């Protein structure tokens, strides 16, 4: 059972999808958090990078893991803890960004800008 779930998640990542999260859920959740997260545009740029067929699978995996962690209901530090709630999310996102930053293109960043302009 675990093996089939893992196989399905790997297939999703290869297709540029976040396992267990639908596009509308992800984008809607992120838009609702825009004022609260200093890395919102980076998260959307990462999402577009993950959806790009030219992006290597291992990069898509890093992005999928980081974006999934961003929306997990259980974190290392819950979001309701004032002042610290997003600290773990920022660490995960900054680590992922530093690992894959060479793969995020100007086109991905432009799409992120357009996303927030609408």
């Amino acid at each position: 059972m675990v093996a089939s779930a893992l196989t399905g998640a790997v297939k999703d990542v290869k297709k540029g999808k976040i396992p267990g999260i639908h596009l509308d859920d992800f984008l809607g959740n992120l838009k609702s958090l825009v004022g609260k997260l200093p890395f919102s545009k980076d998260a959307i740029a990462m999402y577009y990078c993950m959806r790009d067929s030219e992006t290597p699978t291992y990069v898509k995996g890093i992005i999928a893991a980081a974006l999934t962690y961003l929306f997990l209901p259980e974190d290392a530090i819950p979001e309701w803890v004032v002042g610290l709630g997003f600290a773990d999310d920022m660490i995960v996102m900054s680590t992922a960004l530093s690992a894959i930053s060479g793969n995020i293109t100007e086109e991905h960043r432009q799409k992120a800008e357009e996303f927030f302009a609408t």
Side-chain angles (χ1 to χ4, degrees):
M1 179 179 253
V2 172
S4 66
L6 185 57
T7 301
V10 170
K11 286 179 183 177
D12 282 349
V13 168
K14 284 183 178 181
K15 292 178 186 174
K17 297 179 181 177
I18 302 171
I21 298 177
H22 297 296
L23 172 63
D24 293 338
D25 294 340
F26 171 72
L27 296 177
N29 285 338
L30 191 57
K31 245 186 185 174
S32 71
L33 292 173
V34 166
K36 301 173 188 172
L37 300 176
F39 46 83
S40 298
K41 287 183 183 175
D42 290 327
I44 291 293
M46 288 171 68
Y47 172 79
Y48 285 118
C49 180
M50 188 179 72
R51 301 284 300 179
D52 189 336
S53 62
E54 299 296 314
T55 301
T57 301
Y58 80 94
V59 172
K60 290 180 179 187
I62 292 169
I63 294 169
L67 296 179
T68 299
Y69 185 83
L70 190 61
F71 292 105
L72 280 176
E74 294 87 25
D75 291 346
I77 304 172
E79 271 63 35
W80 56 265
V81 177
V82 178
L84 294 176
F86 289 110
D88 58 329
D89 297 304
M90 290 189 331
I91 291 167
V92 168
M93 291 299 290
S94 63
T95 301
L97 276 168
S98 66
I100 58 99
S101 63
N103 293 280
I104 297 178
T105 66
E106 189 56 39
E107 179 183 352
H108 302 143
R109 294 197 184 281
Q110 182 61 38
K111 285 181 179 180
E113 289 289 333
E114 292 169 6
F115 174 79
F116 288 109
T118 59

